[in-house]
Amino acid sequence: MTEDFPSPDEEIAALLVARDLAEAGEPERAIDALASFAARQSLNPEIYLELGRQHRLAGRDDLALTYLRHSAQLEFGGNQALYHLLDMHINAGDFGLAIGVLARMLKQGVDREDVLGVVAGLLEQMQGPIDSVNWLAPSASSVEASTSPATADGTPPAFEPRPGRHHPYRQQPDHAFWNRSVAQRPWAEINLLAAPKFSIGAEEPIAAAGSCFARHISRCLRQSGYRYLETEQAHSILTPEEAKACGYGDFSARYGNIYTPRQLLELVEQALGHRPIIEDFHEADGRVFDLLRPTIQQGGFSSWQEAHHDRSYHLRCVARMLAEAGVFVFTLGLTEAWINNKRGHSYPVCPGTAAGSYDPDSHHFHNFSFAETLADMRSVLRLLRGINPGLKVILTVSPVPLMATMEHDHVVVATSASKAVLRGVCADLEHDDAQLQYFPSFEIISATASQGCYFEPDQRTIRPEGVAHVMRTFLSAYFREPPANSATAEEDTYVARANQQQSAECDELFNNPYHEH
Amino acid sequence: MNTETADFLAFGMSHLIGLLRGIVADDDPGWQTALTKRSTCERSLPLIEPWRNDIRLTATLITPTSEFLPAFQGCSLATGTATFICHPNLHHVLANFLAATKGKGALVSLLNGHDHSVLSLIQHPNRYDFVLPTHPDLPIDSAAQVLPYRAVARQVREQVAPTIDALALLRALWPEARMCHVLPPPPVASSKHILSQKEAIVSECHNHGVSGKYLRLKYFLECQAQLTSALAALNIATFTAPPETLDSQGFLATEYCWDATHGSPEYGRRQFAAIVERSTGGADQAPL
């Protein structure tokens, strides 16, 4: 019955009373103040920590150990109970148990150097052979045993869990706990994707699309040695410089940056013949620009006919890519977009920035809502699965903040709102789709715990090390087999830096009128 | 036509043979064999009527066995270097001709001429096509990859550069010389005709196929445009295919074909007639 369980307010009040009593030199009364909470199966580790400390002060080490172990068992209890246990075991000469506690502390993120220092001290103190050799290589069960009230010294716990009232977090893996997986760990070593839904075969074709951050992913996949799918490749007649100027090699096909799910939806619809090809071309100085891919061909196309035929060919390549891909990686970048008033299609960037001319009678701004974004992504997935039922989809959210916003908010606030929508949509989509997973590029780069370590001083450009972290996580999570042409771990940063030098082209830069294009 | 005898020195490769086949009289049946001999740098040739008495034609054939190979060598003048040189033997022939004719003789270049065929005759393993801005309505292969015109133009520019550089050198050597360049005939439309020929390039077509006719035509037009433009800047007239030798779409009519890439004797005769007419300022054109 719920009224049997102590409320947090009751527990805090009792703890304050108990600590006052303890400070006043009355440990027994302090124990009395808390004992009832233990009997009522409190889940507050502070209760058991305090009980352990007071019983230890009162000389009842058995009970102290029992309470301290229980406190340590409550996963979010921090390390204080472990420190007390360590101290008690060392003082009692139980070095094996002490090492077990140290192993647990290591697992919970206590600084490695500190732990090793204590171990070294213990080894110096130890006389003769170590009794419990197993502690030197503790298994999960042995570590558990060191902190389990039921097995440490044979003393039965003072409180048996009630049937049906197990601590639900106990079943959670390490990565579910901040202390164990984040606290005091180097950010670069943290793997934020501990549970991939599926694996990718070494020969499985992977296609990629998305915002400017997707270019990093795309290039790294291309260089990874795994099978990166490119259905629109530079023709051998083109020089490398011409190929680059024509946007080859950036993605699986020459769509350029795709910032919004609406843009992706319109591309897929055109490629699969669900809507007429959108030809929104603009001529300037004798050159023709495709406003749906304004930077795909540096300097534009030579004629309207070239732009027309190139777009048709491009869409055929996109259709082939969607049909042949085993995995489709899409990076969602923005919710803010510009729309054609008459025909309703979206643009990657505002006309008049990268190419074309802005006309308020022809173009309007729109910030896609959560519902719109979710609906667009669901439509995309429905179309993709319609032609490629086995397609695995990996969604990421670009960690690159907005270059500029058309909302009234500060750009930081607008970025937060935009990313929140995109991130929320991904979460919604992956819940009911076994073949779709969100990949945490956004978090690897921009989680608060990263302390901005992957951003350049402008707080927007991603450092190569960040890209390397993302790709290291991606490759280790999804691939079980080595690639045909493996890039070594040492090459990660090198590859990322090479990519950086090429500079992931961000069309969104054109939204900043003060940027030197 | 002037009553005065006109002097021409024609020099070039295989397309020169095509021209000569149409205009050399039967009384020199050994001219072709003689021209291809290593020791023969030049040969005066008797012409058919109406040019037998009015035109003196000397021919210099540059073949793999010529004494003056490479005829032209060095870095492109376009790069600003001046190391592009003419083989001394060829230089000697040209200089002697101009001296002997006191500058009135015309140099007729049929250098190279294989450019558009080299670039486009054999079907590329990765089919491609492009839109030629000057002829945007020429059909495009809908199944092929579309290449940017600028890349194709760059490819053509690199291909025709040796011809332009060679003629630029001659213009630099003889700034006042009368000089013209005869462009090769356009492609023939029929791939069946091409595949039935014995030329070396055709054997590759048997392996890879023949490119689409419009792609071949576009390459020809682009080569022609670039050469014409560059040579005009050098005050070197260019001669394209006589209009009557073309079909309605601009391909070389089959009856004017010699093989897969060269013109027939009749094509050569008509081309020479145009050169002679132009050299005397006929047909409302500026003389060479």
Side-chain angles (χ1 to χ4, degrees):
Chain A
M1 292 171 65
T2 52
E3 58 266 28
D4 288 338
F5 306 131
S7 72
D9 289 343
E10 281 183 279
E11 289 171 340
I12 291 168
L15 274 169
L16 291 174
V17 169
R19 283 170 186 163
D20 286 345
L21 290 168
E23 277 188 24
E26 298 188 60
E28 297 300 340
R29 289 187 64 198
I31 290 169
D32 289 344
L34 296 173
S36 65
F37 290 92
R40 290 164 68 191
Q41 306 258 330
S42 167
L43 289 177
N44 189 331
E46 296 287 319
I47 298 283
Y48 303 105
L49 175 66
E50 201 58 43
L51 281 167
R53 287 173 57 190
Q54 299 311 320
H55 277 296
R56 191 181 174 196
L57 288 172
R60 290 186 287 274
D61 282 359
D62 289 353
L63 280 173
L65 284 170
T66 301
Y67 283 119
L68 289 171
R69 283 169 179 150
H70 196 71
S71 176
Q73 237 183 353
L74 294 168
E75 313 289 0
F76 42 79
N79 295 319
Q80 284 195 53
L82 289 175
Y83 280 112
H84 280 282
L85 284 169
L86 179 66
D87 191 45
M88 288 184 73
H89 290 321
I90 291 173
N91 287 337
D94 293 331
F95 296 141
L97 292 172
I99 289 175
V101 172
L102 285 167
R104 183 62 171 260
M105 292 171 86
L106 200 59
K107 205 173 175 184
Q108 288 196 192
V110 174
D111 187 81
R112 180 179 291 267
E113 292 300 319
D114 291 348
V115 171
L116 291 176
V118 176
V119 171
L122 285 177
L123 291 173
E124 287 170 4
Q125 290 183 50
M126 287 171 77
Q127 303 289 321
I130 301 168
D131 293 336
S132 304
V133 176
N134 281 343
W135 284 120
L136 291 178
S139 64
S141 59
S142 61
V143 172
E144 186 72 18
S146 76
T147 54
S148 166
T151 58
D153 53 10
T155 306
F159 27 77
E160 287 293 332
R162 289 184 185 181
R165 190 163 180 269
H166 293 291
H167 186 339
Y169 288 88
R170 187 177 294 175
Q171 307 305 320
Q172 287 293 87
D174 282 356
H175 65 77
F177 296 92
W178 193 274
N179 273 351
R180 291 185 189 177
S181 64
V182 179
Q184 300 182 56
R185 290 195 171 198
W187 185 250
E189 293 176 7
I190 294 175
N191 177 4
L192 297 193
L193 185 69
K197 279 184 176 179
F198 45 77
S199 63
I200 303 173
E203 289 300 315
E204 211 163 351
I206 311 164
S211 67
C212 51
F213 186 74
R215 287 176 181 252
H216 289 306
I217 294 178
S218 189
R219 283 176 186 153
C220 289
L221 282 173
R222 204 170 183 228
Q223 295 162 351
S224 69
Y226 291 104
R227 193 173 159 205
Y228 181 65
L229 181 64
E230 283 184 283
T231 54
E232 192 173 10
Q233 289 182 306
H235 198 281
S236 58
I237 283 175
L238 270 60
T239 63
E241 294 75 23
E242 287 168 343
K244 187 173 184 336
C246 292
Y248 285 102
D250 290 334
F251 292 108
S252 297
R254 288 169 66 228
Y255 23 71
N257 293 350
I258 300 175
Y259 290 104
T260 60
R262 175 62 57 87
Q263 201 189 335
L264 176 65
L265 174 60
E266 289 168 356
L267 175 70
V268 172
E269 286 176 336
Q270 290 174 83
L272 300 183
H274 291 270
R275 71 181 296 164
I277 295 176
I278 303 167
E279 293 200 342
D280 194 340
F281 301 149
H282 177 84
E283 185 170 355
D285 300 326
R287 306 295 296 179
V288 178
F289 296 85
D290 182 350
L291 296 187
L292 302 193
R293 303 179 295 162
T295 58
I296 202 65
Q297 191 127 328
Q298 276 180 21
F301 295 94
S302 295
S303 61
W304 288 78
Q305 288 88 345
E306 185 175 292
H308 162 78
H309 289 297
D310 186 87
R311 182 151 191 84
S312 299
Y313 176 74
H314 162 63
L315 290 171
R316 290 201 302 275
C317 293
V318 173
R320 195 157 68 82
M321 177 198 84
L322 298 175
E324 292 178 6
V327 183
F328 181 54
V329 183
F330 180 61
T331 302
L332 294 82
L334 298 174
T335 54
E336 295 191 13
W338 290 84
I339 309 293
N340 184 288
N341 290 351
K342 288 178 186 163
R343 293 191 277 170
H345 60 263
S346 64
Y347 296 96
V349 292
C350 180
T353 55
S357 59
Y358 171 67
D359 174 6
D361 292 332
S362 302
H363 312 117
H364 73 273
F365 171 75
H366 184 72
N367 196 354
F368 288 103
S369 68
F370 177 88
E372 288 171 320
T373 306
L374 182 62
D376 285 347
M377 281 306 301
R378 287 202 187 284
S379 297
V380 167
L381 292 168
R382 192 164 50 248
L383 290 172
L384 295 186
R385 296 269 162 66
I387 60 154
N388 191 346
L391 183 70
K392 297 167 189 169
V393 177
I394 296 173
L395 299 179
T396 71
V397 170
S398 167
V400 180
L402 273 67
M403 169 58 76
T405 180
M406 272 300 290
E407 292 288 6
H408 298 297
D409 296 321
H410 189 286
V411 67
V412 171
V413 178
T415 295
S416 180
S418 185
K419 303 296 181 186
V421 166
L422 299 174
R423 181 65 189 87
V425 165
C426 293
D428 204 310
L429 291 170
E430 74 171 341
H431 275 310
D432 54 1
D433 191 335
Q435 291 293 86
L436 183 149
Q437 184 165 41
Y438 170 73
F439 177 79
S441 300
F442 178 77
E443 288 79 2
I444 291 172
I445 300 297
S446 62
T448 315
S450 73
Q451 299 181 27
C453 66
Y454 290 146
F455 283 105
E456 296 285 6
D458 66 0
Q459 298 296 310
R460 185 171 184 274
T461 307
I462 311 296
R463 291 171 55 83
E465 292 81 359
V467 179
H469 189 171
V470 168
M471 293 315 298
R472 197 166 52 241
T473 305
F474 187 96
L475 296 175
S476 65
Y478 288 115
F479 292 95
R480 299 282 177 269
E481 310 158 53
N485 299 305
S486 177
T488 63
E490 288 73 29
E491 287 172 324
D492 277 354
T493 304
Y494 170 79
V495 168
R497 193 166 288 283
N499 282 332
Q500 185 76 6
Q501 285 164 355
Q502 288 188 48
S503 163
E505 286 180 31
C506 183
D507 295 342
E508 208 206 341
L509 288 173
F510 292 101
N511 285 344
N512 179 358
Y514 309 107
H515 178 78
E516 290 183 14
H517 302 311
Chain B
M1 185 179 289
N2 291 338
T3 53
E4 194 177 333
T5 303
D7 288 291
F8 292 92
L9 172 63
F11 60 101
M13 289 82 167
S14 59
H15 287 281
L16 173 61
I17 299 287
L19 181 80
L20 297 179
R21 278 195 196 106
I23 60 174
V24 177
D26 291 341
D27 42 353
D28 186 5
W31 66 268
Q32 195 165 340
T33 308
L35 275 180
T36 53
K37 281 184 181 172
R38 181 175 173 76
S39 60
T40 307
C41 290
E42 57 189 306
R43 187 180 181 89
S44 293
L45 299 166
L47 301 184
I48 60 171
E49 294 295 353
W51 304 302
R52 175 180 284 271
N53 298 319
D54 298 331
I55 306 287
R56 273 197 299 270
L57 177 69
T58 305
T60 292
L61 184 67
I62 301 168
T63 71
T65 59
S66 295
E67 283 194 332
F68 35 77
L69 280 182
F72 297 91
Q73 188 180 27
C75 300
S76 169
L77 287 177
T79 65
T81 59
T83 56
F84 205 78
I85 58 168
C86 178
H87 192 286
N89 289 355
L90 180 60
H91 181 275
H92 181 73
V93 169
L94 301 174
N96 276 356
F97 170 79
L98 291 172
T101 59
K102 296 183 172 57
K104 292 183 179 175
L107 297 178
V108 180
S109 157
L110 287 101
L111 288 171
N112 302 320
H114 55 285
D115 301 323
H116 70 91
S117 300
V118 165
L119 292 174
S120 67
L121 188 65
I122 304 165
Q123 173 71 62
H124 195 285
N126 295 327
R127 271 170 70 176
Y128 69 93
D129 206 338
F130 65 98
V131 176
L132 187 61
T134 52
H135 297 73
D137 297 327
L138 278 175
I140 192 163
D141 180 353
S142 59
Q145 181 169 6
V146 183
L147 299 193
Y149 161 72
R150 289 205 287 203
V152 177
R154 185 265 312 151
Q155 184 197 23
V156 168
R157 196 157 50 245
E158 291 172 358
Q159 181 66 32
V160 301
T163 305
I164 296 170
D165 288 336
L167 293 171
L169 175 63
L170 299 188
R171 174 53 77 211
L173 288 170
W174 296 290
E176 305 301 325
R178 302 169 70 205
M179 212 183 293
C180 69
H181 178 71
V182 180
L183 294 162
V188 60
S190 166
S191 58
K192 193 176 171 185
H193 169 84
I194 292 167
L195 288 169
S196 68
Q197 305 304 313
K198 302 292 184 194
E199 291 165 86
I201 194 169
V202 175
S203 63
E204 286 299 308
C205 294
H206 286 293
N207 295 330
H208 300 286
V210 179
S211 293
K213 63 179 183 179
Y214 293 111
L215 179 71
R216 290 185 279 118
L217 184 61
K218 290 174 199 173
Y219 264 104
F220 166 76
L221 292 168
E222 180 62 21
C223 287
Q224 177 176 272
Q226 288 199 19
L227 282 165
T228 302
S229 168
L231 297 182
L234 295 168
N235 192 27
I236 297 174
T238 46
F239 287 93
T240 57
E244 65 275 18
T245 65
L246 307 180
D247 69 14
S248 60
Q249 294 183 300
F251 294 96
L252 183 64
T254 313
E255 59 268 34
Y256 291 101
C257 295
W258 176 255
D259 51 20
T261 59
H262 297 91
S264 68
E266 179 58 17
Y267 177 88
R269 194 189 67 75
R270 289 173 183 266
Q271 185 116 58
F272 190 69
I275 295 169
V276 172
E277 186 172 12
R278 175 81 178 276
S279 74
T280 55
D284 298 328
Q285 293 176 307
L288 289 178

